[in-house]
Amino acid sequence: MAEYTFIGDIHSAADDLAVLLADTSITQTRLIFLGDYIDGTAGRHFRHVTQAAPLDPLGVLELV
């Protein structure tokens, strides 16, 4: 039986997606992409902190 990994709302964060796709725990699973691939804002929000984030929509499309 196949195992699945669901990845959602990438929002142009190619660097984060590359790290996720390199994780050996998901390399043998079927990937299901959901949500927004290439839109987003130039920041990542973690509770009360906003961190600048580079947007790379073409990089995301290449990885997907």
Side-chain angles (χ1 to χ4, degrees):
M1 180 193 257
E3 291 187 27
Y4 295 88
T5 298
F6 294 87
I7 300 172
D9 296 321
I10 300 164
H11 294 288
S12 298
D15 56 343
D16 291 339
L17 180 59
V19 170
L20 179 64
L21 294 177
D23 187 331
T24 58
S25 66
I26 68 165
T27 56
Q28 299 301 315
T29 66
R30 289 200 116 161
L31 301 176
I32 307 295
F33 291 93
L34 306 166
D36 303 319
Y37 296 157
I38 59 171
D39 69 341
T41 61
R44 296 184 184 123
H45 306 286
F46 305 98
R47 292 190 179 237
H48 305 294
V49 177
T50 299
Q51 179 185 54
L55 299 180
D56 184 7
L58 294 178
V60 167
L61 293 177
E62 288 176 5
L63 290 168
V64 172

